[in-house]
Amino acid sequence: MTAEKLYRSVAAGDLVLFSVLAVPGLGGLVFDWVLRLNTMMGLGGAAQATAALLLFLHLMGLMGAALAYLRLRIGASTDGVRATVCVKLAAAALFALFVWHGAPAVLVVFGAIDLAQAVTILALHSRQRRLS
């Protein structure tokens, strides 16, 4: 897979995920699903779907969808890759921080996915630049 294809796939996936989180009601259903998954897996941590938390989730969805759309528009330029890697690393760190403070432990999986995407995009982009 080329760096450009991976970059676009990750940005498109983020756009879909964050668009779902941005939709009132639908974002709450996804949140409930994640909580149930955490319970089914017997992992620690807990959260309640309060109105403030759901509002934060929807706002995060709106901002994440806008950023993913911009990343798709920019393409896999050096600036686009830097922005994506920074966003993915920040997201992984936030997931870890949330779990550290008692959020559902299943969020570590999402953080690990973001971390793996950041490392893979950076590695493919760097390799492609060296070969060019």
Side-chain angles (χ1 to χ4, degrees):
M1 177 177 276
T2 66
E4 176 74 25
K5 285 183 182 178
L6 177 64
Y7 176 88
R8 290 201 169 280
S9 295
V10 168
D14 286 349
L15 180 60
V16 170
L17 172 65
F18 284 113
S19 294
V20 167
L21 292 178
V23 176
L26 193 53
L29 287 175
V30 171
F31 182 75
D32 287 339
W33 177 78
V34 169
L35 291 179
R36 275 189 255 133
L37 179 64
N38 191 71
T39 302
M40 285 176 19
M41 294 175 72
L43 300 173
Q48 292 182 2
T50 64
L53 183 65
L54 291 177
L55 176 62
F56 174 74
L57 182 72
H58 297 312
L59 291 174
M60 183 182 69
L62 284 172
M63 289 186 284
L67 185 58
Y69 176 75
L70 289 174
R71 287 177 17 227
L72 277 171
R73 297 281 303 186
I74 291 171
S77 66
T78 301
D79 290 339
V81 169
R82 275 191 206 136
T84 298
V85 168
C86 287
V87 166
K88 293 291 181 182
L89 292 176
L94 284 174
F95 280 128
L97 180 67
F98 291 157
V99 171
W100 180 268
H101 287 285
V106 73
L107 295 180
V108 168
V109 173
F110 297 120
I113 291 169
D114 277 335
L115 184 60
Q117 287 175 340
V119 169
T120 307
I121 288 170
L122 189 59
L124 280 177
H125 183 72
S126 296
R127 181 174 180 239
Q128 187 174 343
R129 286 188 58 198
R130 275 184 278 144
L131 295 175
S132 306

